[in-house]
Amino acid sequence: LAKGRGRARYEVFDDDLRSRIERRLDTELALRDAVERGEIETWYQPIVDLQHDTVVATEALARWRRPDRGLVFPGDFIAIAEEVGLIKGIGTTVLGQACRAAASLEKGLAVSVNVSPRQFVQDDFGAVVKRALSESGLPPAQLWLELTESAVLEAIDSAARTFQELRAIGVRLAIDDFGTGYSSFTHLRAFTVDLLKIDLTFIRDLERSEHDRAIVEGILRLADSLNLDVVAEGIETTGQRDLLKGMGCRYGQGYLFSKPGPAASPAVYFGD
Ligand code: C2E
Ligand code: MG
Ligand code: MG
Ligand code: MG
């Protein structure tokens, strides 16, 4: 009996594995033509000034509108795109759409674009960014580029000069998901940035956890002494917002203010 049950479970596992492999291959194939078919869209989520209740920027977030499947979120295609070498085309598409959208707003809003290491290790990354700026007419100071900590590590070796050239023309650099990588302090020493985005895992329990409040206060103090601006990610409650505001955190982003949506400048909630 036990043996029979064991075999049955193996078959379930095999089917599961096979369907996962099939799904993955299917995604890769469909993703290959997604850019040319115009299926990559950019959605936007406002970044607000917590102290003044104003919108200062909007983060560009990739979405894939698969004709047969509907809207696909980055968690289901960005990592695959990186692995199979498709992230450059997707990243350039999002960058172009984001710059054009921000340039059309006439509000002086900045747009913050996520950049994967596979994108910026390419020799022409600086040229790609400058072209997106000149073709859209967006002033460089209204473009922020977000890199994760592990990406910063790669940039130190390969693309540091490109990033510093972009900073010199006014583009601002942000470290995304700050606190989730490793040796953050080494990165901050070796690589000059303008903003830190505190990862949403530190914000989630802010109201309950004295420990998390202490960590966030520490990040804010560090940022202050390095002259960096801070964005707190994933603010969902007025309690979290009020705590961050009280701690002197300058910027915030999260479902409380607005969920990501297709409009570059959506309605934003500031009430309580
Ligand atoms: P991220 O850059 O840290 O973006 C923030 C993510 O948190 C977004 O998920 C956003 O929808 C979500 N978020 C915002 N506010 C809240 C909140 O209050 N609560 C919670 N629980 N979540 C919130 P999304 O759009 O699914 O993107 C996931 C990740 O995919 C991004 O994380 C980024 O790392 C990556 N990504 C998105 N677009 C691009 C892109 O164009 N290029 C690259 N290389 N990566 C991208
Ligand atoms: Mg980001
Ligand atoms: Mg983030
Ligand atoms: Mg994240």
Side-chain angles (χ1 to χ4, degrees):
L1 185 69
K3 202 176 162 197
R5 207 186 294 146
R7 186 172 299 140
R9 283 177 53 192
Y10 266 116
E11 279 163 16
V12 168
F13 174 75
D14 282 344
D15 284 349
D16 193 49
L17 186 63
R18 190 180 307 117
S19 74
R20 280 204 337 252
I21 292 170
E22 279 168 4
R23 191 146 23 103
R24 160 77 195 230
L25 282 172
D26 176 62
T27 302
E28 274 184 41
L29 271 176
L31 198 54
R32 237 159 251 293
D33 302 314
V35 168
E36 293 82 74
R37 289 189 180 141
E39 294 168 10
I40 301 298
E41 293 181 8
T42 305
W43 282 26
Y44 301 91
Q45 186 183 35
I47 296 173
V48 306
D49 182 325
L50 295 172
Q51 308 299 331
H52 303 101
D53 284 358
T54 53
V55 179
V56 293
T58 187
E59 179 172 3
L61 296 160
R63 299 289 184 260
W64 175 19
R65 193 168 293 280
R66 261 189 94 165
D68 51 338
R69 301 277 168 87
L71 199 65
V72 185
F73 286 75
D76 290 325
F77 72 91
I78 290 288
I80 296 173
E82 283 170 345
E83 280 172 44
V84 301
L86 296 170
I87 194 66
K88 198 187 168 196
I90 293 172
T92 303
T93 302
V94 170
L95 182 69
Q97 290 179 355
C99 289
R100 283 195 296 279
S104 73
L105 284 177
E106 288 182 35
K107 282 186 187 167
L109 279 196
V111 69
S112 200
V113 180
N114 295 284
V115 181
S116 123
R118 297 283 159 274
Q119 258 176 288
F120 64 66
V121 295
Q122 316 263 350
D123 293 336
D124 64 347
F125 177 70
V128 166
V129 173
K130 286 175 193 162
R131 195 177 325 122
L133 288 169
S134 63
E135 283 179 2
S136 64
L138 186 72
Q142 282 167 242
L143 178 64
W144 303 358
L145 298 178
E146 301 189 8
L147 306 126
T148 59
E149 286 177 79
S150 50
V152 170
L153 197 64
E154 295 191 39
I156 290 171
D157 295 331
S158 61
R161 196 182 301 126
T162 305
F163 278 112
Q164 297 320 322
E165 270 170 35
L166 291 171
R167 279 189 82 237
I169 62 167
V171 173
R172 304 186 79 198
L173 297 187
I175 299 185
D176 201 357
D177 305 339
F178 186 77
T180 59
Y182 48 91
S183 56
S184 318
F185 299 107
T186 306
H187 301 162
L188 288 175
R189 280 182 64 211
F191 196 80
T192 315
V193 298
D194 306 282
L195 288 138
L196 302 181
K197 298 190 76 177
I198 304 179
D199 192 66
L200 48 79
T201 52
F202 296 103
I203 308 304
R204 194 177 298 147
D205 298 320
L206 212 56
E207 290 161 277
R208 284 179 296 279
S209 167
E210 205 176 313
H211 190 236
D212 288 2
R213 282 200 296 278
I215 291 173
V216 170
E217 273 166 358
I219 296 174
L220 289 169
R221 217 169 299 145
L222 171 74
D224 193 46
S225 45
L226 292 171
N227 264 317
L228 305 177
D229 274 329
V230 175
V231 181
E233 297 190 293
I235 301 176
E236 296 186 358
T237 69
T238 51
Q240 292 165 341
R241 178 203 58 191
D242 293 344
L243 279 169
L244 288 159
K245 192 176 170 180
M247 292 176 190
C249 183
R250 187 159 183 197
Y251 301 131
Q253 178 179 1
Y255 296 164
L256 173 70
F257 307 105
S258 178
K259 289 195 171 177
S265 186
V268 179
Y269 170 88
F270 287 116
D272 37 30

